[in-house]
Amino acid sequence: MANQYRVQNPVNNEVVETFDYATDQEIKDILDRSEAAFKTWRHTSYEERAAIVSKAAQLLKERSEELGKIMAQEMGKSVPEGAWEADFSGDIMQFYADHAAEHSADQKVDVPGGKAVVRRLPLGTLLGIMPWNFPVYQVARFAGPNLMNGNCIILKHAEITPKSAAAFEEILKEAGLPDGVFINVYATHDQIADIIADPRVQGVSLTGSERAGAKIAETAGRNLKKVVLELGGTDPYVILDSADIKTAAQDAWAKRVQNAGQVCTSNKRIIVMDDIYDEFVDEMVKIAESFKKGDPSNPGENEYYPMSSRQAAELIDDQVKRAVAKGANLRTGGVLEDNSAYYSPAVLTDLPVGSDEYYEEFFGPVAEIYKVSSEEEAVELANNSYQGLGGAVFSEDTERAIKVADQIDTGMIHVNLGQYFSAVLPFGGVKRSGFGRELSVFALDEFVNKQYLYVND
Ligand code: NAD
């Protein structure tokens, strides 16, 4: 069951529906269909592509509630959170429909003796390997720019979100996307390796864990295929000072428990200056204890929802237990319910810096809080990570926060805000958080042939 494509409700761990793996013959057919579709799709105009992608954007928005319900049952996200995600995914698709043509227009380059132009040409079939935590948004981030680029896409979604994958494919079909341009496949990991090796596949983009990223990059490397990797993070969230510790704690908490803590850019290490540390921790504990278990399909106020799967909940439980064995202090929460994926949100302090657990990504609702006594120490701790995805720095004195933010080695950094959600800024990380960028116009440049054409006078 562990790797089967299925809907398994994390509320009670019951399997609702299962899906068969594609046969090897089906994989062959999919690659043929994709190749055939590319022959036409690569020559469609930006206007034609934009009309389809824009229609898909509209459908994502219209069906946001329906998509939210699918996500709630598949991976435990509350329906409003899922509906927000689908709506935002519509914005992302629309952004590419609106901006790809201008960004990707031919660029003249002045050269002596002739005329030169650099153009961005589609590459062919791309493989997108996606995680379950944002089952619609992750697909939109990859599909939006690459459909507009004229590439074809094969989607391999997470084993626990097969219906979100099918719904996305259906929306594109209804929007008018020609057959074969976007194909969802329930492939095994071995079949994925075969797809990457197929000469018609020109690139692969994976969002997921470091383990999967390394594996896919290895297969892609062996086959000399371009890869984009969006991997994990242990993002620092530095609070230098605060005139309102209660609100600071509420904001930090809201970010840490969003999507049951299963967000790559969640504030996984909350770093707080010593003079406000005790009060901040007390507030976090108070908030954590005010949260009650809720039903993601029928949500209320101040509730926590299950993690994406029993397996994910067992993993976080094990991480917290190991952290405690290393000397960390579990201030509250951290209770794994029997026979479900509910794990009560936890506050963890005093995890020894430098321990194995310190370097792990806690992909669940666990607020790890660290105490520092200077800006230098805050920066040192913030950068003491193998990853470098996002982060944030807070101070009443914006200049002070910017000074600290300037020294943090991540792909994304914020001042006085947890995270800015928008299609216009590039998303991605440094170090073991991966390479390449999604979102913004930068994503349009990942999988194109920047070909120059030189015409001699
Ligand atoms: P995961 O790596 O287990 O799975 C991601 C996808 O990769 C799934 O579709 C899975 O089936 C596939 N996969 C895994 N191993 C594979 C293999 N050997 N061959 C083919 N496919 C394979 O990750 P997850 O647990 O679903 O997601 C959580 C991780 O994703 C966290 O580390 C999180 O930080 C990261 N993440 C990163 C971003 C980002 O944008 N940087 C966004 C969301 C999640």
Side-chain angles (χ1 to χ4, degrees):
M1 181 58 67
N3 264 333
Q4 181 163 16
Y5 288 89
R6 64 195 183 277
V7 176
Q8 186 165 12
N9 192 345
V11 165
N12 51 25
N13 207 28
E14 275 171 18
V15 177
V16 180
E17 199 175 344
T18 57
F19 298 79
D20 291 337
Y21 286 124
T23 63
D24 288 347
Q25 184 58 47
E26 280 166 343
I27 299 288
K28 283 199 180 81
D29 293 346
I30 282 167
L31 285 161
D32 289 347
R33 263 171 71 208
S34 188
E35 182 187 24
F38 182 61
K39 289 195 172 116
T40 314
W41 185 243
R42 67 184 300 175
H43 297 301
T44 53
S45 66
Y46 279 108
E47 291 70 29
E48 285 172 83
R49 292 179 204 151
I52 295 167
V53 171
S54 182
K55 177 72 188 168
Q58 184 196 329
L59 291 173
L60 282 163
K61 285 176 172 289
E62 280 171 20
R63 296 192 191 157
S64 58
E65 185 81 10
E66 197 183 309
L67 290 162
K69 285 181 185 157
I70 294 175
M71 291 184 241
Q73 196 186 35
E74 283 185 333
M75 46 72 69
K77 195 189 295 273
S78 76
V79 175
E81 271 192 86
W84 176 86
E85 174 181 337
D87 190 77
F88 182 38
S89 303
D91 292 341
I92 291 169
M93 298 292 275
Q94 193 59 50
F95 172 82
Y96 289 106
D98 291 343
H99 296 284
E102 189 190 346
H103 175 77
S104 303
D106 293 354
Q107 276 174 272
K108 276 198 196 125
V109 181
D110 288 335
V111 281
K115 291 184 185 60
V117 65
V118 177
R119 49 211 194 169
R120 290 170 164 85
L121 304 177
L123 287 178
T125 295
L126 307 175
L127 173 67
I129 306 178
M130 296 298 152
W132 43 262
N133 65 340
F134 289 92
V136 174
Y137 159 81
Q138 302 291 0
V139 182
R141 293 201 312 188
F142 180 58
N146 286 303
L147 292 176
M148 286 306 300
N149 278 338
N151 290 316
C152 288
I153 290 174
I154 296 176
L155 169 68
K156 182 255 175 274
H157 216 317
E159 284 78 358
I160 62 169
T161 49
K163 281 181 106 169
S164 296
F168 205 101
E169 184 185 42
E170 179 57 30
I171 280 175
L172 286 170
K173 191 174 157 199
E174 283 185 44
L177 197 69
D179 179 65
V181 178
F182 181 101
I183 308 173
N184 170 44
V185 58
Y186 299 135
T188 65
H189 289 181
D190 286 346
Q191 288 170 333
I192 288 300
D194 292 343
I195 292 174
I196 293 171
D198 190 283
R200 292 166 292 187
V201 173
Q202 301 300 332
V204 47
S205 180
L206 175 134
T207 299
S209 61
E210 284 186 34
R211 183 187 48 76
K215 182 89 191 138
I216 293 303
E218 190 182 328
T219 309
R222 218 179 306 121
N223 291 284
L224 302 174
K225 303 290 168 78
K226 156 124 189 194
V227 203
V228 166
L229 296 177
E230 294 285 359
L231 309 177
T234 49
D235 288 4
Y237 185 96
V238 181
I239 307 176
L240 297 171
D241 56 73
S242 173
D244 180 358
I245 292 171
K246 208 173 169 150
T247 304
Q250 276 162 353
D251 291 347
W253 181 260
K255 180 159 175 62
R256 191 62 190 99
V257 298
Q258 186 208 352
N259 207 30
Q262 305 161 115
V263 183
C264 50
T265 51
S266 184
N267 44 350
K268 308 225 174 73
R269 293 176 300 139
I270 301 171
I271 298 168
V272 183
M273 207 57 92
D274 52 5
D275 55 338
I276 54 170
Y277 175 86
D278 287 337
E279 196 181 337
F280 181 84
V281 172
D282 288 347
E283 281 299 330
M284 291 288 272
V285 169
K286 239 188 265 170
I287 302 168
E289 290 177 349
S290 73
F291 270 59
K292 302 280 164 284
K293 177 182 153 179
D295 175 358
S297 295
N298 189 17
E301 290 292 305
N302 287 0
E303 290 179 345
Y304 69 89
Y305 303 109
M307 294 184 61
S308 59
S309 66
R310 175 77 192 170
Q311 206 184 349
E314 284 175 358
L315 177 65
I316 197 89
D317 187 46
D318 174 64
Q319 284 180 298
V320 168
K321 285 187 172 134
R322 283 189 284 110
V324 168
K326 287 278 170 74
N329 192 350
L330 179 60
R331 304 285 185 120
T332 192
V335 178
L336 174 64
E337 191 181 80
D338 287 342
N339 307 318
S340 80
Y342 282 97
Y343 183 79
S344 62
V347 176
L348 196 68
T349 60
D350 308 294
L351 174 56
V353 174
S355 61
D356 289 347
E357 289 71 18
Y358 165 81
Y359 287 109
E360 286 181 22
E361 178 184 33
F362 281 55
F363 211 57
V366 177
E368 277 172 55
I369 312 176
Y370 296 88
K371 178 158 66 175
V372 289
S373 49
S374 67
E375 288 173 17
E376 293 69 31
E377 202 188 331
V379 170
E380 196 182 316
L381 188 60
N383 287 332
N384 188 355
S385 166
Y386 298 128
Q387 289 116 351
L389 193 56
V393 182
F394 293 81
S395 170
E396 299 296 324
D397 175 354
T398 304
E399 291 308 314
R400 181 185 189 203
I402 293 174
K403 206 175 100 211
V404 168
D406 277 347
Q407 301 170 71
I408 294 180
D409 302 328
T410 55
M412 301 170 278
I413 190 75
H414 302 79
V415 165
N416 290 336
L417 181 75
Q419 189 166 350
Y420 184 69
F421 292 98
S422 161
V424 304
L425 291 176
F427 191 108
V430 295
K431 302 197 245 177
R432 293 180 67 94
S433 292
F435 37 80
R437 288 293 179 270
E438 292 198 296
L439 296 181
S440 78
V441 292
F442 287 87
L444 287 162
D445 286 342
E446 292 291 353
F447 293 104
V448 279
N449 173 12
K450 292 161 203 115
Q451 185 194 51
Y452 79 72
L453 169 71
Y454 180 92
V455 180
N456 198 4
D457 285 343

